[in-house]
Each structure stands twice: as C-alpha cells, then as structure tokens.
Amino acid sequence: MVRAYTQDHVYHHPWDRVTTAAWRKFTDPDTPALLSHIVDVHTLHRRLDPASGCLHAVRSITVRSPPLPFILRRILGQDAVVCHCVESTVVDARGRSMEIVVRNASLRGLLEVEERSTYRPHPDLPEGWTAFRQQTNIRCKPLSALAAVAEKVEQRCAERFQQNSVKGREVVERICKYLEAEASAAISC
Amino acid sequence: MGSNKTSRGGGATASPCARLRDAYHDCFNRWYSEKFSKGQWDKEECVAEWDKYRACLAQHLEDKHLRRILLETEASPYFVKNDASSPADRDGTTHQ
C-alpha cells in the first residue's frame, strides 16, 4: 500500500532567497534543535552546465528513524535505525526552478520513500513570493506474516514525515528572515 | 547562525571530512546566494574546496552505495535502485 500526500506552501520571500535557505536547511548550525533526526549531510556530486544555467547536485542525508514499533525493535535488536537518503537537486537559474527528489537508499527492503519538492516563483507575485510544493510517497514492503505491522509502520512514518516537513519549512522560513535582515542591514550601512 | 558553527552530525564514517565539508558548503552557499541564484551561472566556483572535500570522502566514505555515487563521473539524476512495481518508477528514467 502506498501512502501519498501533497503539501503546498507559499513563502513571502523571493525565489533566490528561498532556494538559498533550502540549500542551508540541513546544515544550518541551529537546525539540530528542530530537525534532530538529521545525523549527517554530505555532497557526493555536483555539476554546473554554464550554457544552460543548470546546477545538478547529489547529497546524502543520513537520518535516524523514529522509535521503531516493538516488534521491529525485537527483530532488529535496536530502538531506531540509521538510514541513508539520497537527495538529487536540479536548479535552473534561467527558468528559476528548483526540483529536489529524495529517496531512501538504505532500508529499501522495509520501506520506499520518495519525496519530490519544487520551488518556483509564485504566479501571483513572481518577484516577491515563492511557491513550494512537496509530494511524498511512502510504501512499506509487505512483510508476509506482518502485514498489520507493516501498515502501522507506514502510517507512523507518514505522520513523522509530515511533522518533519513542517519543521523543515519552519527552518527555511527562519533562514529567509535572517537573509532578509542581512540584506537590509547591508543597504542601510 | 554566526561564525561559530559546530561540526554537523555524528557520522563516524566520514567525520574526518567534516571540516572540508563545511568549508565547501560555506563556499557553495555563498556562491549560490550571491551569484548563481541572481543570474550569474556562467562560472563554476569553489573548485578547490570541492576537490579537497571530495578526495577526503573518496578515502573515508564507507557506505558502498554512497561511494558509487561519489565515484561516478557521469551522474544520472536518480541513483536509487527501484523495483519495476515501485511508485517511483513512473517516468522511465534510467535507474541503477
């Protein structure tokens, strides 16, 4: 069974500032308090196409799972697991779009998560607002004898992902405000 | 959000590279916000920082799957293996 949900959000900040903040979401020093599930972030690949103005980067995001249901804790012998996710981002600076796809690279025998996000100038105010859309699919692999548990895990993951998405947006908002203040201070000096 | 950044995460596999990573990410964030996102996309920057950081990861990164992504020169946008029935396998993109 696949759980799919879509979230839309409008940032009242211009596209360049929001996408700057989005890049900094996981590595900002204040982030651990809000996104405590993030263990490590590394950039694995990057390529700029100067002709088209497209940037492609791949990062690994290592996360700690939420506390596992009892039966999985028994099976795995751990309260939580560490999971590597792979994030692939394409930014088209000319067309002003940022597209991100995150998939889990480990634990795929148990769970398949795919999260697609886009950041584009908002059609109502392209110079001042940014439209954010995030679509998430979560599928739990059937564990023959444990179908009911699989569904519970999927539901719990979906809830946690949604909560983390909200927290992630709060972090991006906070960084946007900081960048805005920084820009104003530079002008008034 | 100041200059006294603490090293991110407890990734024991690649923590030797944390400083080089932070130096690269700082450079990248600056380039992205001041140049790339504002229309200056014609020149690659932070090359020295990237080369040092990448060399460190090549030496210290243990996870096999992540190493493959790191060491590939031609990168496809999607690196994660999918089953035929996976919801992600919709658009016919080449998968590993």
Side-chain angles (χ1 to χ4, degrees), chain A residues 1 69 71-72 75-76 107-111 139-154:
Chain A
M1 185 186 149
I71 191 145
L72 285 179
I75 292 169
L76 298 171
L107 303 182
R108 287 188 77 78
L110 186 66
L111 202 65
R139 190 175 86 151
C140 210
K141 290 297 186 66
L143 303 170
S144 51
L146 301 171
V149 174
E151 197 175 312
K152 192 101 178 107
V153 168
E154 195 177 71

Side-chain angles (χ1 to χ4, degrees), chain A residues 10-85:
Chain A
V10 179
Y11 290 96
H12 292 190
H13 295 274
W15 179 86
D16 61 288
R17 186 183 299 150
V18 178
T19 55
T20 296
W23 278 114
R24 291 165 58 157
K25 178 167 69 168
F26 295 128
T27 54
D28 191 80
D30 294 333
T31 290
L34 268 179
L35 302 180
S36 57
H37 57 294
I38 306 291
V39 172
D40 209 2
V41 179
H42 279 291
T43 300
L44 302 177
H45 172 85
R46 65 157 212 174
R47 190 179 68 218
L48 171 69
D49 179 6
S52 64
C54 276
L55 169 71
H56 176 217
V58 178
R59 302 196 298 177
S60 74
I61 319 277
T62 305
V63 298
R64 188 176 297 111
S65 74
L68 300 171
F70 175 71
I71 191 145
L72 285 179
R73 273 188 267 150
R74 287 295 298 267
I75 292 169
L76 298 171
Q78 312 169 196
D79 290 342
V81 291
V82 161
C83 172
H84 294 302
C85 294

Side-chain angles (χ1 to χ4, degrees), chain A residues 16 19-20 23 26 28 30 38-43 45-46 50 53 58 84 88 93 103 108 112 114 141, chain B residues 1 8-11 21 24-25 32 38 41-42 44-45 53 63 75 77-83 88 90:
Chain A
D16 61 288
T19 55
T20 296
W23 278 114
F26 295 128
D28 191 80
D30 294 333
I38 306 291
V39 172
D40 209 2
V41 179
H42 279 291
T43 300
H45 172 85
R46 65 157 212 174
V58 178
H84 294 302
S88 175
R103 296 198 178 118
R108 287 188 77 78
E112 281 176 4
E114 183 188 84
K141 290 297 186 66
Chain B
M1 193 108 50
R8 279 294 349 236
R21 174 199 53 202
Y24 168 68
H25 282 166
Y32 183 88
K38 292 189 155 76
W41 56 67
D42 54 333
E44 186 117 48
E45 287 193 11
Y53 169 43
D63 184 271
Y78 301 102
F79 289 97
V80 181
K81 200 171 158 145
N82 286 305
D83 311 327
R90 282 190 295 269

Side-chain angles (χ1 to χ4, degrees), chain A residues 111-144:
Chain A
L111 202 65
E112 281 176 4
V113 181
E114 183 188 84
E115 190 180 75
R116 291 176 180 254
S117 311
T118 58
Y119 291 90
R120 294 205 169 91
H122 195 280
D124 293 350
L125 197 66
E127 297 307 312
W129 291 358
T130 302
F132 171 70
R133 165 163 279 210
Q134 187 172 69
Q135 293 169 300
T136 307
N137 291 316
I138 301 175
R139 190 175 86 151
C140 210
K141 290 297 186 66
L143 303 170
S144 51

Side-chain angles (χ1 to χ4, degrees), chain B residues 68-82:
Chain B
R68 198 153 33 105
I69 298 172
L70 177 73
L71 299 174
E72 268 198 12
T73 45
E74 280 305 309
S76 91
Y78 301 102
F79 289 97
V80 181
K81 200 171 158 145
N82 286 305

